[in-house]
Each structure stands twice: as structure tokens, then as C-alpha cells.
Amino acid sequence: MRAAELDAADPLAQFGAEFLPAEGVSAYLDGNSLGRPLRASAERVQELINGAWGTGLIRSWDEQWMAEPLRLGDELGRVVLGAGPGQTMIGDSTTVLLYKWLRAAVALDPRRSRIVLDTENFPTDRYLAAAVARETGAELVWLRPDPAAGVSPEQVADAVDGRTAVVLLSHVAYKSAWLADLPAITAIAHEAGALVLWDLCHSAGVVGVALDAADVDLAVGCSYKFLNGGPGAPAFGYVAARLQDRLEQPITGWMGHADPFAMGPDYRPATGMRRFVSGTPPILGMAPIADMIRLIERAGLPAIREKSIKLGEYVIAEVDARLAGLGVRVASPRDPERRGAHVTLAHPAFREIYRALWGEGVIPDFREPDGIRLGLSPLSTSFAEVEAALDAIERQLR
Amino acid sequence: MRAAELDAADPLAQFGAEFLPAEGVSAYLDGNSLGRPLRASAERVQELINGAWGTGLIRSWDEQWMAEPLRLGDELGRVVLGAGPGQTMIGDSTTVLLYKWLRAAVALDPRRSRIVLDTENFPTDRYLAAAVARETGAELVWLRPDPAAGVSPEQVADAVDGRTAVVLLSHVAYKSAWLADLPAITAIAHEAGALVLWDLCHSAGVVGVALDAADVDLAVGCSYKFLNGGPGAPAFGYVAARLQDRLEQPITGWMGHADPFAMGPDYRPATGMRRFVSGTPPILGMAPIADMIRLIERAGLPAIREKSIKLGEYVIAEVDARLAGLGVRVASPRDPERRGAHVTLAHPAFREIYRALWGEGVIPDFREPDGIRLGLSPLSTSFAEVEAALDAIERQLR
């Protein structure tokens, strides 16, 4: 089927109009790095500056902002993460939250000092695990999956034992888009008595995540990809309710104190999720996330996932039909059940040509050494855009 | 002189029109907690959402945003901090930066494991020093200044020695507004071979800070008070150039890597200030700071400080004349050379009446047990506002 027909049959097609237009951009396929702004967010931010900030002034902290990291966290948990209330917060960066969660996880049980992780995980995850290992004496246990695939339950089963503190994995791999079997791997880690910490950066908002149902312990993710929070928007973190009062995070500011305005001599962590908040909540930066959560709820995550898979299948079919002969390889899983929402293509010339693509308003991203990632954001990406991108790649390679 | 005359003679009076109006607010005296938004910031944020984010999309990272934490940091350094280029970054929260800087400071020299700090410092500073002490084995050495004053050079001289790693102090005390003698204390710490870490939250933008001239080692501060960055805006951090390549911070994400897009197996810190960046820079949240830096440059810090002192003297003279008899006490230093940009008044009834003040659009803040802080932001606060607030307090107490 041609792109125009697929767009005509797309039940989510009308959601494209919710996003601000991007003049001169004929195909935006990097929503897996930076999602596009919603029209509603431009308005919300303006209202926030004039209203809650400019007129409410300091009163807005008492009336709404102090609660915002957990209130918006609960919304994200309900709509996107499959998490009941009181387990999700918004704040910091993914980097800082990973540090806090890893430190908390390795401190939980002195008999468990190993962090299991994989060589294909995002650099920040690997660097932080190494940093936490250095400072705490924890050991790293490396899984080495096939770069085109990802970590399997069997690999995890072979690596975990009574010495494992935590298994740190990405739900969707940033390079290959491999979609890990989150429920199976979580269960395997738990059988060995270990915690799991899932990095949801590339899955939140586009792949169903059911943290409570899978009994996940810890999760983090960013909000600027498929949650359209804007460049460098605050991250989100999840800690299962059953663990909250047993975990200690190292960055203890007054915002995580049981009674912050008492400003007393000693730090006493709040009960529940609040103790994981460190600095003053980034109100302006978290505003757009709320709009995208609302849009995801209107569209429904199952419909989003269905379109995501269709977009991916369309890419792969087109590559097979007209780019494979030019040497382009699909570097993502072909099985849609094991693939997130981007498709990575590989070709030795991609490092040269992606800048030319950008110049003509076709915007995927490039990952060393030879990968172009086509990020498919189901609520903003049309099949016609994908077709335009594939046309442009084909022209560049001919 | 009456407030109207003082306003008429105020060379900075016209700057009030640069801020968005706050309907129903007759006196905003909490700019030391949350500065008011600039009109220019409302426009800048809108342009950012439509332009660099909505149209530039991922290209804006390459073209401007990757450099923004250090570019804007340099601007802040030049205009506000007296810091040469390459020593200031914007990002994280004050809490997270304090943690990073403290960890780096205590790790520098194994023979030095003491943190000198004072009981009147802001809770976050005290809690983080305690947390870092617990996890690194550092010891805390507590200074106990008079709550109405602050830490003197003599107190610091008595506390530092060859075991001191770092002296952590606030430049302006959050409760009393005591303005510490930054150059003298820095020199005393250096004579003992220790580092100094200054918390500039309550001084940046309103009191002259000359970090390079005073040979300061480390500093942090928030941008939502006198830098008008908005609720929970990112913090700033300073590391003297001579120290940067010798200090290691614990939260090592890909953004601080020497070659982030290589995404290689091991963390290798960037040279210079870049290594202190952790997560993805918070672009939306840092946008308003740029406008306030520009406004401060137009007005000039000496003129800002001069008006700040005049506002403070006006408050104290009025309190002496008409509130002292009602039991109101000035809990800030009377010497303008030792006072920052807020004046704290104390009265047992203040806990009761500050809510009533808020209700009538007169907005200072309250600090336990009996303090009302009058925050005086020279570029947005008029003498008439201060008069209105003092009138309202007087009415409430009669």
C-alpha cells in the first residue's frame, strides 16, 4: 500500500494537527531524540508565565507547584507507565535519577554488590553504573548481546545470582530499537532476589509499559522523546511503593525532607515517593509533558503502539523493496514484537549523507558508525513523511 | 523622605516596566524566593518553542543548545559573578550541584577530610554536607554564628587547618541576610590550604560577586531569585579554571564525556568546565535567565546594589519609626555593608498575619519561627511597594 493510502486509513492521522508546524521540514523522523512541541504546550507555557508565575508568584508554590512533581508523576504513571499513584516523580535529569536509583539499589543489601548490565546500553547508563561501582565497591557483570538484537531473558538468567544487587537494562535499545522482554526479565531477576532498574527513555509514550503488573522495582526515563517535553525537559523516575521506605538516595536536599519548612538541623526523609525529590521542582520545564500525557490518553496507548508497528513495517517493506539493493541493511529487529518505535538502517555512506538530508528538510539522526535512525512518533509522524525520507535516502544513494 | 519621593529620585525606576504585571498584587516582596518574570522572557520562551524547538528541532542541538550551558554560564560569569569564561555552567539544581561540588572537594586530597560549615546555612547545604560526610567518611566542623548575624572571618580562621578539605558557606544568609566577607574568608581558607565553596543563591544578581578577583574555588547558586529564571529554573555552578582538571564529579553522564557522540565503552571526562555537566541541558528552563542577565548588564550591578541598600535603609528607618513600638524587631544586620538584599523582621504574631497579608496582595514570605522576610529586588521593587507592605503590617499589628 502507498503512503497516501496508509495515511487515509490511519485512525490517528488527525493528531498531526495538534503539533506546531515546522516550516521547511518535509520529514521529521527524530522524535525519538526530540519530540515536536504541541500547540497546547505553547499556550500552556505562556499561561504559566503570565498566570501562575507572573501573577500567582510565590503563592503558586503553596497552591500547586510543591505537589507538581508527584501529581504529574501520577498522571504519567496512570496513562503511560501502568503505575499506581505515589510511585512516580518528575524531576532532575535521567542521568541524575539513574545515579540516585543505582546508589539506592546497591546500598539495599550488603550481601548483594553486583550490577548486571549490557554493553549495548546507552552510554550514560554504562558510565553511571561504572561510577557507582567505583565509589561503592560494587562489581559490574557485563552482558554482551548481539548489537542488532538485545538482551534476552536467558542471558539475564545466566548472569544473576545471590550476589546481584540490580539488573540495569533499557526497555528499548537506543541503537537497535530492540524491545526487551520486560516482564520475563523482571521475573528472572526477582527469582534471584535482585532488583531491576528499567531505563524507559525509548519506550515511554510509545510502547505499553506495565510497571505495576510486571512488579518492576525501579525505572527512569526522559520526557523529551515520545513525551514531547522539550529539549532537556526533566526526567521521570519510578520506585515501587513496597520499596520506597527501604531505599535511601544520596542527594538529600530540603525538598525530600519530611518537613521541609521546619528547616531543622537534621535531614529526615519524607515517607513515600517524596524522599526521592532533590532540588526545587523545575516547573517551567515540566509544563509541556502534561499536554502530551493528555494527548496520549485521548489517542490510547494500544492505538499508538499499533500505528508505531505499522510505521515500522512500512519502513522495512520499503527498504526491502528499494534500498536493500543499494546496500542498506535493516539494523533493527524485524519482529515487531521485539522492536520499539524507531527503525535503524545501516549503510557505510550514511555518515556522509545525513547532513545532506538535514539540508533538504529530511531529519532522521545518525549514530556511529553507520546508522540512520528513523524515529517514528505515531501521533506526529505520517506515512507520507516516512515515504519522503526514504525517497530522499534513495536519491542520495543513487 | 517619603516613598513617592524616593521613587521619583530612583535612577532605576523605569526598569519596573520590564516585568510582567501582577494583577491584584500591591506589593511583591518575595523576589528573594521567586523573581518576577520579564516581559522579554515570555516572548523569548514563545520564540524558542516555535523556532529553535518547533522548527529547528533536533538540528538546534548541534547549532546552539549543546553549547548553551557553558555559553550562558559565561554570560552569567561576566555580568554577575566576576568570573572569566570557561568557569561557569548552568544546569541541574542547586542541590545536585552542591552534591557534585562537595564530593569533588572532599576527594581532592586524602589528607583533608573535614567540611567546615555553619548552623545557620540553608537546610539543603547542611543536609548535603552531612550526606557527603556519611558516604565519604568526611567530618563536619560546625560554626555556630549568632543567628541575627553570620559567620565572621575570625570564626573561620579558628576552624580551618591542615585537615580541612572545604569551607561551605552562604554569601548572603537566607534568614538574616548577613553578607559574609567573601574575600577575607576565602583568603583565610586558602592560608590553611583548604578550598571554599560559596552558595550564592541569595547574592547573585543583587550583590557584587568577584569570584576570580577573590580567587574563589567553587560556587553554586540558583537562578530563580534575583536572576528571575522562573520556578525551579536550573542552577549555576562555578569551578576555578586552575582546579577543573583535578576535580572529579560523581554523576558522569554522556554530556560530560570528552567525546559524547562516540558513545564509547568508558567514561573519559571532558577537559575544562564541560566535565561538570551531567544530564541533557534544560533548554526551556534556562531561557529566562538570559533576559535577566541582559537587564542586569543594562542597569549595572553597582547601581543595583546602591538601590538595594537604599531600599533596605528605607525599611529599617520605617520599622524604627512606626513598627518598633508594636514589638517588631529588625533581625537583619543594620550595617548595609554586611546586609544582602532582604530585610528580615521578627514578631511573634507574624506566623498568623502573613497569610492575611497575602490575601490582600501584599506578599513577603514567612520563615519559622517568627520572621517575615522583605525581599527587595532593585529592578522590580519600588519604594511605594515597600511602603504599602509596611502599612499593611502596621494595620495587621494594631
Side-chain angles (χ1 to χ4, degrees):
Chain A
M1 223 193 299
R2 303 284 305 158
E5 291 169 65
L6 288 162
D7 280 326
D10 172 14
L12 301 184
Q14 81 277 11
F15 284 96
E18 302 282 342
F19 296 84
L20 285 172
E23 205 184 325
V25 176
S26 50
Y28 187 57
L29 296 171
D30 207 10
N32 57 322
S33 271
L34 178 67
R36 291 172 56 187
L38 285 163
R39 292 175 192 275
S41 296
E43 286 167 32
R44 175 190 293 268
V45 169
Q46 210 57 22
E47 281 169 22
L48 194 165
I49 293 175
N50 281 281
W53 177 11
T55 305
L57 294 160
I58 196 68
R59 297 172 292 191
S60 295
W61 277 115
D62 289 37
E63 288 159 14
Q64 52 183 112
W65 292 338
M66 285 293 283
E68 192 62 7
L70 303 192
R71 190 204 66 77
L72 187 58
D74 280 351
E75 279 297 287
L76 184 73
R78 182 177 65 80
V79 174
V80 171
L81 304 179
Q87 302 180 106
T88 310
M89 60 156 278
I90 314 284
D92 295 319
S93 59
T94 313
T95 302
V96 169
L97 287 181
L98 272 169
Y99 179 79
K100 286 157 65 164
W101 276 207
L102 280 170
R103 282 285 307 274
V106 300
L108 186 61
D109 180 345
R111 294 162 303 180
R112 294 177 175 272
S113 62
R114 291 189 169 184
I115 302 171
V116 172
L117 74 168
D118 74 289
T119 51
E120 295 301 308
N121 205 343
F122 190 76
T124 291
D125 303 61
R126 294 184 275 111
Y127 300 158
L128 281 169
V132 168
R134 266 197 309 277
E135 65 181 269
T136 63
E139 287 167 82
L140 301 181
V141 177
W142 288 99
L143 308 176
R144 298 179 191 282
D146 178 339
V151 174
S152 67
E154 294 71 27
Q155 284 174 300
V156 176
D158 287 347
V160 294
D161 60 23
R163 294 165 294 182
T164 311
V166 60
V167 178
L168 165 64
L169 296 172
S170 279
H171 189 201
V172 169
Y174 80 105
K175 269 204 285 198
S176 70
W178 173 264
L179 172 58
D181 189 341
L182 182 148
I185 290 173
T186 301
I188 287 165
H190 286 179
E191 275 168 41
L195 302 179
V196 283
L197 165 47
W198 286 101
D199 181 334
L200 307 176
C201 282
H202 280 275
S203 63
V206 76
V207 172
V209 187
L211 295 180
D212 286 351
D215 205 24
V216 166
D217 306 291
L218 300 161
V220 298
C222 72
S223 69
Y224 42 76
K225 298 181 189 293
F226 300 111
L227 297 174
N228 301 64
F236 65 85
Y238 166 94
V239 178
R242 64 189 149 72
L243 284 171
Q244 288 167 6
D245 291 342
R246 295 167 56 205
L247 289 177
E248 281 187 23
Q249 63 101 348
I251 309 178
T252 51
W254 72 310
M255 282 284 162
H257 194 283
D259 185 5
F261 287 96
M263 300 188 165
D266 298 312
Y267 184 75
R268 186 161 49 85
T271 54
M273 200 62 204
R274 186 90 210 165
R275 65 170 57 191
F276 300 100
V277 177
S278 293
T280 302
I283 298 302
L284 201 62
M286 71 170 79
I289 305 169
D291 301 298
M292 190 60 181
I293 294 173
R294 202 164 297 177
L295 202 71
I296 291 170
E297 186 167 30
R298 267 173 57 202
L301 259 176
I304 291 171
R305 174 72 175 143
E306 196 180 326
K307 180 172 174 189
S308 165
I309 289 174
K310 281 198 177 133
L311 285 161
E313 289 184 326
Y314 174 69
V315 168
I316 292 172
E318 290 288 304
V319 170
D320 287 346
R322 55 187 174 126
L323 297 181
L326 299 169
V328 174
R329 187 168 55 80
V330 174
S332 290
R334 285 174 171 269
D335 176 2
E337 295 299 311
R338 290 273 68 83
R339 190 178 64 237
H342 60 280
V343 177
T344 304
L345 308 178
H347 189 287
F350 278 169
R351 189 193 277 114
E352 303 300 318
I353 74 169
Y354 91 98
R355 287 285 178 182
L357 294 174
W358 281 25
E360 55 178 294
V362 170
I363 308 179
D365 74 9
F366 173 75
R367 282 294 174 266
E368 294 287 352
D370 61 358
I372 273 182
R373 299 190 303 180
L374 301 179
L376 309 164
S377 297
L379 295 180
S380 60
T381 305
S382 66
F383 290 90
E385 274 182 287
V386 176
E387 184 177 46
L390 295 167
D391 288 350
I393 293 171
E394 187 177 354
R395 271 198 312 276
Q396 291 287 340
L397 289 176
R398 280 200 187 276
Chain B
M1 225 192 301
R2 303 285 305 159
E5 291 169 64
L6 289 162
D7 280 325
D10 173 15
L12 301 183
Q14 82 277 13
F15 286 95
E18 302 282 342
F19 297 83
L20 285 171
E23 206 183 324
V25 175
S26 50
Y28 187 57
L29 297 170
D30 207 11
N32 57 322
S33 270
L34 177 67
R36 291 171 56 188
L38 285 164
R39 292 175 192 275
S41 296
E43 286 167 32
R44 174 189 294 267
V45 169
Q46 210 58 22
E47 280 168 25
L48 194 164
I49 294 175
N50 281 280
W53 177 12
T55 305
L57 294 160
I58 196 69
R59 297 172 292 191
S60 296
W61 277 115
D62 289 38
E63 289 160 13
Q64 52 182 114
W65 292 338
M66 285 293 282
E68 191 62 7
L70 302 193
R71 190 203 66 76
L72 187 58
D74 281 351
E75 278 296 287
L76 184 73
R78 182 176 66 79
V79 174
V80 171
L81 304 179
Q87 302 179 107
T88 309
M89 61 156 280
I90 314 283
D92 296 320
S93 58
T94 313
T95 302
V96 169
L97 287 182
L98 273 169
Y99 179 78
K100 287 157 65 165
W101 277 206
L102 281 170
R103 281 285 307 273
V106 299
L108 186 62
D109 181 345
R111 293 161 304 180
R112 293 178 175 272
S113 62
R114 291 189 169 183
I115 301 171
V116 172
L117 74 169
D118 73 288
T119 50
E120 295 301 309
N121 206 341
F122 191 75
T124 292
D125 303 61
R126 295 184 275 112
Y127 301 158
L128 282 169
V132 168
R134 266 196 309 277
E135 66 182 271
T136 63
E139 287 168 83
L140 301 181
V141 177
W142 288 100
L143 308 176
R144 298 177 192 282
D146 178 338
V151 175
S152 67
E154 294 70 29
Q155 284 175 300
V156 176
D158 288 346
V160 293
D161 61 24
R163 295 165 294 183
T164 311
V166 60
V167 178
L168 164 64
L169 296 173
S170 279
H171 189 200
V172 170
Y174 80 106
K175 269 203 287 196
S176 70
W178 173 264
L179 173 58
D181 189 342
L182 181 146
I185 290 173
T186 300
I188 287 167
H190 286 179
E191 275 169 40
L195 302 180
V196 282
L197 164 46
W198 286 102
D199 181 334
L200 307 176
C201 281
H202 280 274
S203 63
V206 77
V207 172
V209 187
L211 296 180
D212 286 353
D215 205 24
V216 166
D217 305 290
L218 300 160
V220 298
C222 72
S223 68
Y224 41 77
K225 299 181 189 291
F226 300 111
L227 296 174
N228 301 65
F236 66 86
Y238 165 95
V239 179
R242 65 191 148 74
L243 284 171
Q244 289 167 6
D245 291 342
R246 296 166 56 205
L247 289 177
E248 282 187 23
Q249 62 101 347
I251 309 178
T252 52
W254 73 311
M255 283 284 160
H257 195 283
D259 185 6
F261 287 96
M263 300 186 165
D266 297 313
Y267 184 75
R268 186 162 49 85
T271 54
M273 200 61 205
R274 186 91 211 166
R275 66 170 57 191
F276 300 100
V277 176
S278 292
T280 302
I283 299 300
L284 200 62
M286 72 172 77
I289 304 169
D291 301 299
M292 190 60 182
I293 294 174
R294 201 164 298 177
L295 202 69
I296 290 170
E297 187 167 29
R298 269 174 55 203
L301 259 175
I304 291 171
R305 175 71 175 143
E306 194 180 326
K307 179 170 174 189
S308 165
I309 289 174
K310 279 196 180 135
L311 285 161
E313 289 183 327
Y314 175 70
V315 168
I316 292 172
E318 290 289 304
V319 170
D320 287 346
R322 55 190 177 123
L323 297 181
L326 299 170
V328 174
R329 187 168 55 82
V330 174
S332 291
R334 284 175 173 268
D335 176 3
E337 295 299 311
R338 291 272 69 83
R339 190 177 64 237
H342 60 279
V343 178
T344 304
L345 308 179
H347 189 287
F350 279 168
R351 188 193 276 111
E352 303 300 317
I353 74 168
Y354 91 99
R355 288 285 179 184
L357 295 174
W358 283 24
E360 54 179 295
V362 171
I363 308 178
D365 73 8
F366 173 76
R367 281 293 174 266
E368 295 285 351
D370 60 359
I372 274 182
R373 298 191 302 180
L374 301 180
L376 308 166
S377 298
L379 295 180
S380 59
T381 306
S382 66
F383 290 89
E385 274 183 289
V386 176
E387 183 177 47
L390 295 168
D391 289 349
I393 292 171
E394 187 176 353
R395 271 199 309 277
Q396 291 287 339
L397 288 177
R398 278 197 191 278

